[in-house]
């Protein structure tokens, strides 16, 4: 699949956690943005299985990312002087919060457009944070081990529960911790079971975002 550059229409969104205001540039309208990427693809390219990976789902501030960010702000002890990896960071809100609270953060995503938006949001929010394009399903990519590995709303395919569990654990230091937030997707319990099978115990922290129940899990072994 060729590299395709689409100039999506954006808007500025602000969130305040404790004493910090996070300023993020988001895609203005997801349906409009999907129409734009479809128009940019040829009919043959639209048939390519990888075309779905180019959809700009990363450009929305999803409730699960807000739930994870809120949990981080309420538990700064998880972050101070810790190394943190975020998988599938999208706009990067949780990574920005973690970095502001004293963690050394590496934000990662596989979508080719994420880096541009993520770096803009670091600038908007006056936060320094590292970024790398990463396919966490590729076990040949080695980026080291981290004290905390986190992700939000990544369980949206049937094959994901076991893949995500192994992906999270692969980057974890001994005695490290895993945080995952989810809006209650159908594969959530399968993921928890997969983590249990890997020797991890879970602690659940329910969070409400805009009237919707979100689920933040902390896994330890």
């Amino acid at each position: 699949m060729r590299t395709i550059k689409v100039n999506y229409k954006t808007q500025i969104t602000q969130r305040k956690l404790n004493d910090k205001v996070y300023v993020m540039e988001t895609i203005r309208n997801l349906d409009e943005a999907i129409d734009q990427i479809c128009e940019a693809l040829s009919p043959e390219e639209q048939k390519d299985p990888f075309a779905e990976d180019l959809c700009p789902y990363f450009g929305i501030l999803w409730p699960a990312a807000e739930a994870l960010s809120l949990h981080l702000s309420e538990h700064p002890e998880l972050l101070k002087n810790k190394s943190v990896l975020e998988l599938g960071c999208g706009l990067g809100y949780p990574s920005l919060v973690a970095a502001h609270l004293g963690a050394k953060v590496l934000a990662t995503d596989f979508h080719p457009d994420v880096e541009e938006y993520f770096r803009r949001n670091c600038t908007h929010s006056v936060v320094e944070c590292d970024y790398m394009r990463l396919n966490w399903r590729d076990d040949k990519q080695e980026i080291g081990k981290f004290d905390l590995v986190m992700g939000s709303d990544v369980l949206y395919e049937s094959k994901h529960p076991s893949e995500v569990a192994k992906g999270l654990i692969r980057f974890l230091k001994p005695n490290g911790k895993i945080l995952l937030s989810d809006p209650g997707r159908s594969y959530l319990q399968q993921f928890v079971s997969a983590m249990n099978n890997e020797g991890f115990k879970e602690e659940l922290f329910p969070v409400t975002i805009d009237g919707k129940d979100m689920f933040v899990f902390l896994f330890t072994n």
Side-chain angles (χ1 to χ4, degrees):
M1 179 69 68
R2 64 187 172 94
T3 300
I4 298 174
K5 177 64 177 176
V6 177
N7 293 317
Y8 299 114
K9 295 177 181 179
T10 63
Q11 63 186 9
I12 295 298
T13 298
Q14 296 186 3
R15 294 292 187 272
K16 185 175 182 181
L17 293 176
N18 299 324
D19 62 341
K20 174 66 176 176
V21 175
Y22 298 90
V23 182
M24 286 159 291
E25 188 170 346
T26 74
I27 286 176
R28 186 180 70 181
N29 183 284
L30 182 57
D31 290 336
E32 177 183 58
I34 292 174
D35 287 342
Q36 285 183 264
I37 187 65
C38 288
E39 290 171 3
L41 294 170
S42 70
E44 284 302 311
E45 287 173 328
Q46 291 183 30
K47 298 176 184 177
D48 190 319
F50 293 103
E52 178 71 15
D53 292 338
L54 295 178
C55 283
Y57 299 119
F58 72 87
I60 301 299
L61 185 55
W62 296 101
E66 296 206 55
L68 179 56
S69 300
L70 178 60
H71 183 82
L72 293 173
S73 73
E74 294 175 345
H75 297 274
E77 72 280 359
L78 294 172
L79 303 165
K80 186 67 174 178
N81 299 321
K82 302 293 185 180
S83 58
V84 176
L85 171 68
E86 183 177 10
L87 298 177
C89 69
L91 296 171
Y93 186 23
S95 285
L96 296 178
V97 174
H100 175 67
L101 294 175
K104 174 65 175 176
V105 181
L106 176 61
T108 67
D109 204 294
F110 188 63
H111 194 291
D113 293 337
V114 164
E115 181 172 9
E116 177 183 355
Y117 283 79
F118 178 77
R119 294 201 183 281
R120 287 183 197 174
N121 291 336
C122 287
T123 299
H124 294 327
S125 298
V126 195
V127 174
E128 292 186 7
C129 190
D130 293 329
Y131 178 85
M132 175 185 291
R133 189 179 182 196
L134 174 72
N135 180 1
W136 47 262
R137 298 176 190 150
D138 181 1
D139 58 12
K140 295 179 181 178
Q141 281 190 273
E142 291 296 338
I143 58 174
K145 306 287 186 179
F146 298 81
D147 297 306
L148 177 68
V149 179
M150 62 183 183
S152 61
D153 204 358
V154 294
L155 300 170
Y156 43 83
E157 291 184 15
S158 60
K159 62 184 178 181
H160 278 184
S162 60
E163 282 191 358
V164 173
K166 292 176 181 177
L168 293 167
I169 293 168
R170 180 161 67 92
F171 299 115
L172 195 64
K173 286 182 178 180
N175 300 316
K177 298 178 180 179
I178 291 172
L179 270 176
L180 185 132
S181 64
D182 191 271
R185 294 193 182 274
S186 57
Y187 304 116
L188 178 58
Q189 186 53 55
Q190 292 180 37
F191 170 77
V192 173
S193 296
M195 290 296 295
N196 293 158
N197 291 337
E198 296 288 343
F200 284 79
K201 298 176 294 184
E202 79 275 8
E203 188 174 359
L204 172 60
F205 299 88
V207 179
T208 301
I209 301 294
D210 294 333
K212 299 178 181 178
D213 293 333
M214 299 291 131
F215 306 92
V216 179
F217 284 89
L218 176 66
F219 294 93
T220 56
N221 64 355

